[in-house]
Amino acid sequence: HTLSRFKFETIQGHTDNQNTANVKITKLGLYGKNKGKLTIAPTQSFEATPDATEAYIYNDVDDASNSIDPETDVKPCGSDLMVFPGDEEIKLEVTLTPDDQSLSSYAQTIEVSLVAEEITKGESDTFEAGKQYTVTITVYDLEQIAVTANLTEWGEGGEYTYDSDKEDGEDMPTYN
């Protein structure tokens, strides 16, 4: 594969024997230096251009996978994010929100650096094409998380069927 995959999972953290209460992840984002244009069909090629500005890709986590469940050890969170390879470091942005909608104005966004050399234990100094990185986010409360990441086996990600009757770009996934 020509991109790097980031897969996310969450676990509830415990402090002073207290559980995280009523917190959910509502957004996951990645910032990197490499930008590019990905053409899915008909050429299946991409062009990555390092830039002084940052590329940003994110997903809004708005389904049942976003609540931190004290009864579950580790569970998937949101959708996988596919990014252009070649960055030495990528910033992860995690937005946490209280489960109670009336308290949604208390949402917190926390940034954490993901460093390729640390994750791959020295095997590579950049995030590589065709590799999957599983990021585990331990949530303690609205202001405290711990993040670990590991190089893991590439898993099936589903499929997309290209419809040649549609205009270029229509019904195609977009990445910013």
Side-chain angles (χ1 to χ4, degrees), residues 59-164:
N59 68 51
D60 289 315
V61 185
D62 59 1
D63 57 15
S65 73
N66 64 357
S67 292
I68 310 304
D69 186 351
E71 303 302 319
T72 305
D73 286 337
V74 176
K75 70 180 207 173
C77 182
S79 303
D80 297 353
L81 293 178
M82 306 294 283
V83 300
F84 288 97
D87 281 318
E88 294 175 3
E89 180 179 340
I90 291 178
K91 282 188 258 175
L92 169 65
E93 183 179 87
V94 179
T95 302
L96 301 164
T97 307
D99 270 335
D100 184 343
Q101 289 292 351
S102 67
L103 300 174
S104 64
S105 63
Y106 292 102
Q108 297 288 324
T109 300
I110 300 171
E111 283 189 10
V112 178
S113 291
L114 302 175
V115 179
E117 190 170 23
E118 292 173 5
I119 294 169
T120 64
K121 297 176 181 32
E123 289 181 26
S124 175
D125 60 352
T126 63
F127 292 102
E128 297 181 70
K131 302 283 182 165
Q132 176 174 294
Y133 304 91
T134 299
V135 179
T136 303
I137 304 164
T138 304
V139 178
Y140 294 95
D141 57 36
L142 273 176
E143 298 175 349
Q144 183 183 6
I145 64 172
V147 176
T148 58
N150 296 294
L151 185 59
T152 55
E153 292 296 318
W154 189 279
E156 282 295 316
E159 60 184 60
Y160 175 81
T161 303
Y162 177 71
D163 184 350
S164 61

